[in-house]
Amino acid sequence: MPNKPSLPKALKSPAGLALSVTFTLLAGAGAWWVLSPTEDTIVTPQKVCDEAISSDALKEVFPKKGEKFREESSHLGTFYGECRVTAGGERASFSYINNPGGEYFRDRIQKKGVPVSLGGAYGYMAPNHVILLYVPCANEHATDRIRVQTGTSMSTQDDAEEYGRAKPVKGDKELTLFTGVVARGLARGPLNCPNADKLPEGPVKIHWP
């Protein structure tokens, strides 16, 4: 009869067998780690966009883990500004225009889409689920407003019809929270709008038909 293969002498002892089993488990674990690397927990600064905007609302926009937070662009000027932040494969952005002396008739503006409001601020949601909010900012004229435009990758509908009408989708809640934070942050911060403290806390309200 052929001789049976024998274990190396070092592995015949209980200690040797235990070492062998341990090595096998570690090797398997190492293979799993290579194939399934763990994702990093996303850490968001307390304030973003040149430290003008609270990041509280972004906690709902971004996942818990994934690609790290990045502030891709940020410029907050007197008459124009924008900011774009990303994390975990999601995006949130805003821009604004400050045009003193402009006309901002509420009925004309809100007919352009689904009406939205935040206290004395009003505007509309476009078909692609971008919000345009006209925020009181009477630095030069009593009727002046800044036009704030916000969007998130969770809610934006890139394939929406240009002249259609927005309908509720997943991500609208996070968008309204983000828009409220941005409007208050800009009005109370870099744009220093009179009576900005009158803007209520909480999300922008969507007036669905």
Side-chain angles (χ1 to χ4, degrees):
M1 293 180 63
N3 294 328
K4 294 182 180 180
S6 59
L7 290 172
K9 185 176 181 180
L11 296 181
K12 288 183 179 181
S13 67
L17 290 173
L19 179 63
S20 175
V21 171
T22 301
F23 176 79
T24 302
L25 290 174
L26 288 174
W32 176 88
W33 182 84
V34 171
L35 295 174
S36 306
T38 57
E39 293 183 316
D40 293 331
T41 299
I42 294 174
V43 178
T44 306
Q46 188 174 0
K47 286 186 174 293
V48 299
C49 302
D50 291 344
E51 298 188 351
I53 306 300
S54 169
S55 66
D56 289 346
L58 294 176
K59 295 175 182 178
E60 303 298 327
V61 174
F62 297 149
K64 303 298 182 185
K65 294 185 177 183
E67 298 174 8
K68 67 180 181 179
F69 172 86
R70 291 180 59 193
E71 189 168 307
E72 294 191 345
S73 65
S74 183
H75 167 73
L76 305 182
T78 302
F79 301 106
Y80 173 79
E82 64 177 350
C83 182
R84 173 188 171 102
V85 293
T86 62
E90 299 291 346
R91 166 191 52 80
S93 62
F94 71 81
S95 64
Y96 65 85
I97 295 176
N98 180 16
N99 183 26
E103 295 183 338
Y104 306 98
F105 299 109
R106 182 167 186 162
D107 57 341
R108 295 182 186 177
I109 289 173
Q110 293 191 314
K111 284 181 179 179
K112 296 179 180 180
V114 177
V116 301
S117 65
L118 179 69
Y122 52 77
Y124 65 95
M125 174 182 278
N128 62 350
H129 284 248
V130 167
I131 287 180
L132 292 95
L133 187 69
Y134 293 76
V135 182
C137 195
N139 281 325
E140 295 187 26
H141 307 88
T143 58
D144 283 349
R145 292 175 178 267
I146 54 172
R147 191 196 75 176
V148 179
Q149 179 172 318
T150 60
T152 69
S153 55
M154 292 180 65
S155 63
T156 301
Q157 306 294 300
D158 293 326
D159 57 349
E161 296 181 10
E162 183 177 356
Y163 300 103
R165 199 168 184 85
K167 296 180 180 179
V169 299
K170 182 180 179 181
D172 282 342
K173 177 182 177 182
E174 291 76 11
L175 173 61
T176 59
L177 286 167
F178 176 63
T179 305
V181 169
V182 169
R184 288 186 295 272
L186 291 175
R188 298 172 184 175
L191 297 181
N192 195 28
C193 299
N195 300 315
D197 58 333
K198 293 184 177 180
L199 284 173
E201 300 298 319
V204 166
K205 184 177 181 180
I206 303 175
H207 303 276
W208 297 110

